[in-house]
Amino acid sequence: MRIGIDIGGTHTDGVLIDGDRLIAAAKTPTFSDNLLESISQVLRSILSGQDPGKVSTINLSTTLNTNAIVTGRIEKVGVLVVGGPGIAPETYRIGEHFHLIPGSLDHLGTETTPLDMDRLQAAVADCAGKGVKSFAVVGKFSPRNPSQENTIREHLGNRADFVSSGHLLSGQLNFGRRIHTAYYNSAVWRAFRAFSTALQESLLKFNIRADVNILKADGGTMPLLRALESPVVSIFSGPAASVMGILAMEPTDSDILMLDIGGTTTDIALFAAGQPLLEREGISIDGRPTLVRAIHVESIGIGGDSLIQVEQGVVLVGPQRLGPCMARGGSAPTLMDALNVLELVEFGNSRNSIMGIEELANRHGIPGRQLARDVVDTAINAISTRIDSLITQVNSKPVYTIQEILEDRPITPSKLIVIGGPAVVFRELLQTSLGMEVVIPPLHGVANAIGAALTRSTAQLVLTADTARGKVSIPRLEIFRSVPRSYTLETAINEAKSLLIGDLEQAGVRISAEEVQITQADSFNIVEDFYTTGRNIRVVAQVQPAVTVLLDKVNAGIRIDSGPERQLL
Amino acid sequence: MLKAKSSLGVIFFPAYDWAISETHPEREERLLYTQDQFREEGLFDIEGITEYRPLRATDQDILRTHFCFPSVDGICTESHRISAGGAIQAARLVLERETQHAFALVRPPGHHAMKVVQGNRGFCNINIEAVMVEWIREHYGQKRIAIVDTDCHHGDGTQDVYWHDPDVLFISLHQDGRTLYPGSGFPNENGGPRALGRTMNIPLPPNTSDEGYLHALEQVVLPILADFKPDLVINSAGQDNHYSDPITNMCFSAQGYARLNEMLKPDIAVLEGGYSIKGALPYVNLGICLAMAGCDYSAVLEPDFNPEQLREEPDTMNYIKRLCRQLPDLYFYPKPGAYEKEGRYFIRERDIYYDTDNITEKQREELKDCDDCSGIRIIKSSTHRTGSCLGIELPWNCCPACEKEGYERFKRKNDGFQIVQMLDRKNKQYVYRP
Ligand SMILES: [Zn+2]
Ligand SMILES: [Zn+2]
């Protein structure tokens, strides 16, 4: 049996699944200062009458690290950066303990300026004096040659409790993102480790001896032990869990859209030929782009509780939220109240909704029903505009070969899957305005937890080889070795595949070679003075986000236990 | 995070699956290290710098610019259409005001391709800047356009396309033709009889470095641009002036290129040559992008950059200063050359050599000295491959007499030409004789 838990901003959702059958589902409030309590409540509910010993896997999606970062409750980090020429590394200054260490590499990884050891010593001494114990070490072009990063790491020695080395976090190039990623990784490490220890103790109390995995922003999982090395990859796993839920409940091989409508925001995700689209380089957090691989989810500030305002005759919906809708005791009218007025839904105390909308409409000299109609139109328009721009953006993404331009197939979704609390309410409105088939899966209220339970591991690996210089590098696995001139693209692809499989195996995850996808495989002649001297080979291998099993719909009618207070699911 | 002072669209199209030949400088990996540099620097994470994909130039886009013999497909491949389409995308971004500036970082290049195309010259088949300029005029009206060609080689193709066009100012800065391919681009080449001074050539001596280039820009190019008052400034941004370029002899640096773009402020830049793919392109392209976006580029330095070593000898600098004192007169007070004329027609007869394809084209051009319009142009072109070909060009402001004459020539039968192409800018008809 598998358990999936998604700790969201307001709710924590959990499901128990046996094979492809849903056994139990539960929903409880998230106690942001005691996440373990939320987890315990959900476990108590879904495990009632079950043998916890039969649970083999627990997959957990948590906002712990996301919240820590966006609220600034993070540890101080010594950021040691080796920049060199180009865009000033000052641009990426982050945290209170940011130090630039002179030194540089070029784009081939050749050292062009040696590391300034005196400045390094001074920076480390400064950090030590300020009680900094967690470090991020990042050099420009370090995935091409990690030696300067490694020197710094060695120099830190036991003065550091934890060090994030840039080249180990991702093989992809992007200096600024690498700095941000390493910084956040070190900033959340200690708190995440404490959480992880407490979680394991708590699971023991439930007699659960399952493999524990943490959900990542790309929709895949990683073993808890691995997550302790790179906790940052767990940011924004919530929307990814919902996307994986769609894959488990409504699999398809055509282009579709997902809409997750919540109280304050609506998340939009696009699936091309049934596959969720990933961010090109990585997700941003707190205004900082990172190299954390993530499912591309657009968030728009419109949800059931979005505040209605009228400014100079223009109706505004969201992004503010003052509280729940008036139908549920709120003090100002929201989108949900407008839907109540139009009798598109019968929700809570609709007399309050009518009162609130009429009062606001009167103040601006318009009939109440018209205001309600305008509100709904505005909200639907905003969502459909965002959907259109997402599709345009995806269809105009850069390509680099003539072949890609000639074979290009535009993405044209014709089906919309809507999940989240107010999903049902919007079915017809969206169907009419977007002209798409709208599907609301049963159990859509716990799609996120289902996605968490059924998703599998993901991983990515970047291999770069230069046979003229006789070198191959796979930064994330700390492989930098020499290769013969006969090293070919085919050898590189095979090596990348088997290393990725081996890496996952080491983490306790078994996958077959067919499941490894090669997303880049290029080989360029290196020509010096009109003679070919070798080949420059670039390979990127990945295991795509996917679910282990499709959910059997027979149990779709199962009751979601949401405790004593009945909530809108 | 960094923010661009003026928004920049970058059309980055490395054409990783196309090369002239295995070891030719114009090959797949040419922009590979530039892409590595862009990625590592996070160029597209800068707010206001956005990456776009190229469009694809259609037959009509190419036929409104060139006489293509025997056909469009006969002289260019998909890669050329996409490269030109990259330039068109750059123009579209700027003219639709989606971005303030645009840089088409595309390959293959185009500035050696002339009005008539019978094959590949100097790595170029179709002139991507010219295809872009004609696309602009077709969709946005007859604009005044300045093309400043900073490739190390003389932009002889672009010069040829706009030789008779008074609305396009073409200025080429290049290594002196006595020392480099294609061996042309001297000051006395300054425009056709009806577009005098609208072609300007600035041949710089070998080993010219940052100071010399920027001096020519400041003393010659900028004052002329200030007078011409173009609607658009286009930079043919070749990067083979770089001190590390393997096929030229100049000493320009990434800092120099960036400063040049900061001073020139082109609306659109289009990549041309540049074959030092590891030592120059990653830094030069980064410098140009940052300068066009109004970002700080002061730390964009090649690892082996040594300005003292690259600096011009005093003699070289004196030569450049002397040259730059004389050149502006050719624009402000152009002297008519000794043009051959038969009746009302200016005549030009030339042999044009296509080095890559080893073809020689015989060409005779007749331009009518018409009082009522820019004048019909007739080009007779022949090679051993395509036989006798005829191109008829009617200008955008074509008068009824010239139009009548053009269509009479076009519809004539048994006139001995195997291929005849009409390039009618007035009625937007770009067709071959059936
Ligand atoms: Zn050139
Ligand atoms: Zn005329």
Side-chain angles (χ1 to χ4, degrees):
Chain A
M1 291 196 293
R2 300 167 77 93
I3 288 176
I5 297 177
D6 177 28
I7 308 173
T10 41
H11 293 126
T12 295
D13 302 327
V15 294
L16 178 68
I17 293 176
D18 189 5
D20 61 356
R21 283 176 41 241
L22 182 70
I23 305 292
K27 204 181 241 318
T28 180
T30 295
F31 309 108
S32 55
D33 42 10
N34 190 359
L35 298 183
L36 280 175
E37 177 53 28
S38 301
I39 296 174
S40 297
Q41 283 192 11
V42 162
L43 284 177
R44 229 167 279 142
S45 166
I46 58 175
L47 284 174
S48 82
Q50 302 290 340
D51 174 8
K54 285 190 183 155
V55 177
S56 61
T57 307
I58 291 194
N59 291 343
L60 183 72
S61 160
T62 165
T63 52
L64 178 71
N65 293 329
T66 316
N67 280 344
I69 292 170
V70 297
T71 58
R73 281 175 305 190
I74 46 177
E75 183 176 354
K76 52 189 170 187
V77 177
V79 187
L80 307 176
V81 167
V82 187
I87 291 174
E90 256 312 309
T91 309
Y92 311 111
R93 173 174 284 276
I94 188 165
E96 306 288 301
H97 308 277
F98 185 91
H99 296 271
L100 294 178
I101 318 292
S104 67
L105 306 174
D106 70 4
H107 54 88
L108 299 168
T110 311
E111 184 173 279
T112 49
T113 318
L115 202 58
D116 185 330
M117 295 307 287
D118 293 341
R119 293 280 290 277
L120 173 61
Q121 253 160 30
V124 172
D126 185 67
C127 289
K130 288 171 180 152
V132 176
K133 302 293 276 176
S134 192
F135 287 85
V137 175
V138 180
K140 192 179 272 189
F141 285 114
S142 67
R144 293 281 184 267
N145 174 358
S147 64
Q148 294 187 336
E149 277 185 8
N150 288 342
T151 305
I152 299 178
R153 191 189 188 109
E154 278 158 31
H155 183 79
L156 280 167
N158 55 16
R159 277 173 284 200
D161 289 347
F162 185 70
V163 180
S164 298
S165 290
H167 70 276
L168 293 175
L169 289 168
S170 165
Q172 300 284 11
L173 296 178
N174 194 315
F175 182 49
R177 286 174 182 260
R178 198 177 311 121
I179 294 173
H180 302 154
T181 312
Y183 169 78
Y184 288 126
N185 198 51
S186 292
V188 298
W189 168 77
R190 203 178 302 270
F192 185 78
R193 191 184 56 165
F195 168 78
S196 148
T197 311
L199 172 70
Q200 279 166 312
E201 283 166 10
S202 155
L203 291 178
L204 281 179
K205 282 185 204 142
F206 276 94
N207 285 319
I208 297 174
R209 285 184 171 72
D211 294 336
V212 183
N213 298 302
I214 297 296
L215 233 76
K216 303 190 293 178
D218 70 357
T221 61
M222 75 192 308
L224 186 58
L225 272 180
R226 279 275 170 98
L228 290 175
E229 293 161 28
S230 52
V232 70
V233 299
S234 75
I235 57 172
F236 298 116
S237 58
S242 298
V243 168
M244 298 316 291
I246 302 289
L247 288 185
M249 297 190 294
E250 296 288 333
T252 173
D253 52 11
S254 52
D255 300 339
I256 59 165
L257 279 159
M258 177 202 85
L259 226 54
D260 185 351
I261 307 175
T264 17
T265 56
T266 293
D267 289 339
I268 307 168
L270 185 55
F271 298 64
Q275 286 298 324
L277 288 172
L278 296 178
E279 290 280 349
R280 244 181 125 208
E281 291 186 273
I283 200 161
S284 293
I285 186 162
D286 209 22
R288 301 272 189 164
T290 74
L291 285 170
V292 174
R293 277 160 50 84
I295 291 177
H296 182 85
V297 175
E298 304 242 331
S299 216
I300 174 167
I302 288 183
D305 295 342
S306 287
L307 183 69
I308 301 171
Q309 286 170 288
V310 183
E311 268 177 26
Q312 288 158 351
V314 180
V315 175
L316 305 172
V317 184
Q320 278 148 280
R321 173 188 189 267
L322 290 184
C325 54
M326 292 181 75
R328 285 194 56 204
S331 57
T334 74
L335 176 56
M336 204 48 120
D337 294 313
L339 292 161
N340 247 349
V341 167
L342 296 174
E343 288 157 37
L344 290 166
V345 59
E346 215 177 296
F347 181 71
N349 185 345
S350 46
R351 286 233 305 280
N352 282 351
S353 296
I354 295 169
M355 227 172 60
I357 294 279
E358 285 290 345
E359 199 264 329
L360 180 64
N362 273 344
R363 250 190 290 148
H364 295 277
I366 30 173
R369 275 188 78 84
Q370 193 196 318
L371 173 63
R373 172 64 46 208
D374 286 352
V375 165
V376 174
D377 285 350
T378 305
I380 296 289
N381 271 340
I383 291 173
S384 87
T385 308
R386 184 60 87 86
I387 287 175
D388 287 345
S389 79
L390 172 62
I391 294 169
T392 310
Q393 184 200 327
V394 167
N395 282 331
S396 58
K397 73 172 197 316
V399 292
Y400 300 122
T401 60
I402 294 156
Q403 201 61 22
E404 284 173 284
I405 288 204
L406 297 180
E407 286 175 355
D408 199 37
R409 177 189 72 91
I411 290 163
T412 51
S414 57
K415 190 161 121 180
L416 182 66
I417 295 179
V418 188
I419 60 173
V424 184
V425 180
F426 285 93
R427 183 204 302 260
E428 263 165 45
L429 290 167
L430 289 166
Q431 200 146 324
T432 320
S433 84
L434 294 170
M436 287 186 202
E437 181 195 349
V438 176
V439 175
I440 297 168
L443 292 168
H444 66 86
V446 285
N448 49 349
I450 292 171
L454 296 181
T455 188
R456 66 168 192 200
S457 288
T458 50
Q460 192 209 29
L461 183 150
V462 181
L463 180 153
T464 310
D466 180 335
T467 65
R469 291 150 52 92
K471 282 183 174 163
V472 64
S473 59
I474 303 138
R476 202 175 58 73
L477 301 183
E478 190 78 82
I479 295 173
F480 295 89
R481 62 172 169 81
S482 55
V483 284
R485 296 178 55 85
S486 57
Y487 193 80
T488 62
L489 180 61
E490 207 192 334
T491 330
I493 291 172
N494 289 334
E495 176 159 15
K497 275 189 179 174
S498 65
L499 283 171
L500 194 63
I501 293 169
D503 177 47
L504 282 169
E505 205 170 276
Q506 216 176 19
V509 180
R510 276 179 188 285
I511 55 152
S512 68
E514 291 79 62
E515 289 171 286
V516 179
Q517 202 186 30
I518 300 295
T519 54
Q520 187 192 352
D522 289 320
S523 173
F524 300 93
N525 278 340
I526 301 172
V527 180
E528 318 265 358
D529 303 327
F530 293 89
Y531 293 99
T532 304
T533 55
R535 306 189 73 73
N536 193 309
I537 295 170
R538 310 280 173 98
V539 175
V540 177
Q542 68 170 23
V543 179
Q544 276 215 142
V547 289
T548 52
V549 63
L550 300 179
L551 196 69
D552 186 342
K553 288 195 182 160
V554 173
N555 283 23
I558 205 162
R559 198 185 77 92
I560 300 173
D561 176 16
S562 49
E565 185 209 356
R566 279 309 227 178
Q567 309 210 6
L568 182 82
L569 298 173
Chain B
M1 293 299 293
L2 276 181
K3 222 177 181 165
K5 285 205 187 75
S6 58
S7 58
L8 173 70
V10 179
I11 298 92
F12 182 77
F13 189 73
Y16 283 148
D17 48 357
W18 185 83
I20 287 186
S21 76
E22 274 226 336
T23 56
H24 196 283
E26 192 49 63
R27 65 177 181 276
E28 296 94 335
E29 93 207 77
R30 195 174 148 220
L31 290 174
L32 179 67
Y33 305 104
T34 293
Q35 186 176 39
D36 284 354
Q37 194 76 33
F38 281 7
R39 285 210 168 134
E40 181 66 353
E41 297 284 2
L43 185 72
F44 300 115
D45 284 336
I46 296 175
E47 195 183 328
I49 301 186
T50 316
E51 190 178 6
Y52 293 85
R53 65 161 68 179
L55 301 170
R56 179 180 175 279
T58 61
D59 279 7
Q60 287 294 291
D61 290 331
I62 296 165
L63 289 173
R64 83 165 70 90
T65 311
H66 290 293
F67 290 116
C68 302
F69 300 130
S71 62
V72 176
D73 285 337
I75 53 113
C76 81
T77 64
E78 267 320 306
S79 60
H80 301 103
R81 291 177 187 272
I82 295 167
S83 182
I88 291 175
Q89 175 72 292
R92 193 194 64 79
L93 288 171
V94 171
L95 286 147
E96 292 296 326
R97 296 176 200 280
E98 284 181 35
T99 59
Q100 286 164 284
H101 304 273
F103 184 13
L105 251 165
V106 294
R107 54 177 286 270
H111 76 147
H112 295 304
M114 297 187 166
K115 185 76 190 176
V116 173
V117 183
Q118 294 259 14
N120 182 303
R121 296 186 72 246
F123 317 167
C124 304
N125 288 53
I126 56 173
N127 193 306
I128 60 178
E129 286 92 346
V131 169
M132 171 180 84
V133 165
E134 297 316 313
W135 181 88
I136 292 171
R137 289 165 150 188
E138 177 112 344
H139 294 91
Y140 301 91
Q142 186 78 359
K143 302 243 175 212
R144 280 168 82 78
I145 291 174
I147 303 174
V148 180
D149 187 326
T150 54
D151 189 277
C152 194
H153 301 90
H154 175 225
D156 57 345
T158 315
Q159 168 170 312
D160 181 70
V161 174
Y162 293 109
W163 185 249
H164 296 297
D165 193 330
D167 295 325
V168 173
L169 170 65
F170 175 71
I171 306 177
S172 179
L173 293 100
H174 47 263
Q175 183 176 331
D176 195 312
R178 288 169 292 193
T179 60
L180 190 69
Y181 177 91
S184 54
F186 300 102
N188 62 350
E189 300 162 33
N190 74 328
R194 310 197 74 188
L196 275 178
R198 296 295 152 86
T199 293
M200 287 292 296
N201 281 298
I202 309 176
L204 296 165
N207 301 318
T208 300
S209 184
D210 294 4
E211 193 188 339
Y213 268 104
L214 299 176
H215 180 83
L217 188 74
E218 215 162 10
Q219 298 302 314
V220 185
V221 180
L222 296 182
I224 292 175
L225 286 179
D227 179 79
F228 184 70
K229 297 187 185 63
D231 299 315
L232 280 172
V233 176
I234 295 157
N235 180 15
S236 282
Q239 306 180 356
D240 36 11
N241 296 302
H242 193 263
Y243 63 81
S244 65
D245 197 273
I247 62 176
T248 61
N249 317 93
M250 301 299 246
C251 294
F252 212 29
S253 72
Q255 280 294 304
Y257 274 104
R259 177 82 184 121
L260 182 148
N261 276 276
E262 185 177 53
M263 289 163 69
L264 184 63
K265 298 184 186 63
D267 299 286
I268 300 164
V270 178
L271 176 68
E272 279 293 337
Y275 301 96
S276 171
I277 63 176
K278 287 179 194 164
L281 266 61
Y283 310 102
V284 173
N285 283 318
L286 180 65
I288 294 177
C289 286
L290 292 178
M292 286 185 83
C295 295
D296 174 26
Y297 58 80
S298 58
V300 179
L301 306 167
E302 304 85 343
D304 59 354
F305 178 56
N306 183 343
E308 290 316 309
Q309 215 173 347
L310 297 172
R311 194 183 297 285
E312 297 88 347
E313 295 290 321
D315 280 358
T316 309
M317 212 44 228
N318 286 335
Y319 174 88
I320 294 170
K321 283 180 177 163
R322 242 184 359 260
L323 179 73
C324 290
R325 273 196 295 275
Q326 295 160 1
L327 288 175
D329 280 0
L330 292 170
Y331 168 85
F332 289 103
Y333 316 103
K335 289 189 192 71
Y339 299 105
E340 203 183 315
K341 213 168 172 185
E342 289 178 10
R344 291 188 64 192
Y345 293 87
F346 293 105
I347 307 294
R348 248 198 324 172
E349 287 185 336
R350 293 179 294 166
D351 284 354
I352 296 163
Y353 181 60
Y354 293 76
D355 54 316
T356 317
D357 290 340
N358 193 21
I359 310 170
T360 302
E361 175 201 355
K362 280 209 162 317
Q363 197 188 97
R364 176 187 162 92
E365 175 196 79
E366 301 164 0
L367 174 72
K368 190 172 174 184
D369 191 11
C370 179
D371 296 331
D372 302 319
C373 72
S374 303
I376 179 176
R377 173 153 66 145
I378 310 270
I379 301 179
K380 295 165 185 168
S381 159
S382 63
T383 65
H384 69 275
R385 281 210 309 204
T386 51
S388 294
C389 306
L390 180 70
I392 304 162
E393 180 175 36
L394 304 182
W396 65 285
N397 56 1
C398 191
C399 70
C402 287
E403 186 173 344
K404 188 159 167 274
E405 183 183 339
Y407 277 95
E408 269 174 22
R409 302 281 302 252
F410 185 62
K411 287 176 184 150
R412 206 175 282 172
K413 290 198 171 69
N414 305 323
D415 57 359
F417 293 105
Q418 274 87 23
I419 301 156
V420 180
Q421 183 192 335
M422 167 59 76
L423 201 163
D424 173 0
R425 301 252 309 272
K426 184 186 174 195
N427 303 298
K428 300 183 177 175
Q429 292 296 310
Y430 316 108
V431 289
Y432 289 100
R433 180 190 284 173

